[in-house]
Amino acid sequence: MSFFSKIFNSFKSIRLNDKNAVIGQPLDYLLIGSMYAEQQSAFLNSYETGLNRSDIRKLAEEYWGIYNQNDAIEILQDLQERNQDVNIDIV
């Protein structure tokens, strides 16, 4: 997504997926990442991003260093381990 389209999208309302929305507790889990999703102009309430394939590839490769399934698994495991803090319930 181009820089100008991101600026343009920042003035629009939040993006919700009306056709394939997630509800209940799974939605709570999705909304944890809503700030990042909003920055990327992705859907907030769906497992679908609403982004085109080239934008997703750019985000995965350039920003996260994910080029294949093993890279993705390694990144997700690292994120999970880093977020296991005994004080997280207090926050």
Side-chain angles (χ1 to χ4, degrees), residues 9-28:
N9 285 337
S10 68
F11 293 103
K12 294 165 114 180
S13 64
I14 60 173
R15 289 192 69 203
L16 299 177
N17 187 341
D18 298 328
K19 297 177 184 171
N20 195 12
V22 175
I23 57 173
Q25 191 170 18
L27 178 60
D28 294 342

Side-chain angles (χ1 to χ4, degrees), residues 23-36:
I23 57 173
Q25 191 170 18
L27 178 60
D28 294 342
Y29 299 144
L30 277 174
L31 291 177
I32 290 171
S34 63
M35 184 184 301
Y36 184 74

Side-chain angles (χ1 to χ4, degrees), residues 2-89:
S2 74
F3 175 74
F4 292 110
S5 63
K6 285 193 177 207
I7 290 187
F8 177 73
N9 285 337
S10 68
F11 293 103
K12 294 165 114 180
S13 64
I14 60 173
R15 289 192 69 203
L16 299 177
N17 187 341
D18 298 328
K19 297 177 184 171
N20 195 12
V22 175
I23 57 173
Q25 191 170 18
L27 178 60
D28 294 342
Y29 299 144
L30 277 174
L31 291 177
I32 290 171
S34 63
M35 184 184 301
Y36 184 74
E38 181 67 22
Q39 290 171 345
Q40 303 307 329
S41 299
F43 291 133
L44 301 181
N45 67 334
S46 173
Y47 291 116
E48 300 171 11
T49 64
L51 302 175
N52 63 46
R53 187 178 278 285
S54 64
D55 288 337
I56 294 170
R57 181 170 299 234
K58 180 178 180 177
L59 289 170
E61 292 178 354
E62 292 182 20
Y63 300 151
W64 289 95
I66 298 173
Y67 297 94
N68 56 47
Q69 183 179 4
N70 290 336
D71 291 342
I73 291 170
E74 186 178 315
I75 295 277
L76 288 171
Q77 287 175 337
D78 181 57
L79 288 170
Q80 182 181 16
E81 289 170 10
R82 280 194 280 159
N83 289 316
Q84 297 299 319
D85 187 339
V86 295
N87 297 317
I88 198 73
D89 292 333

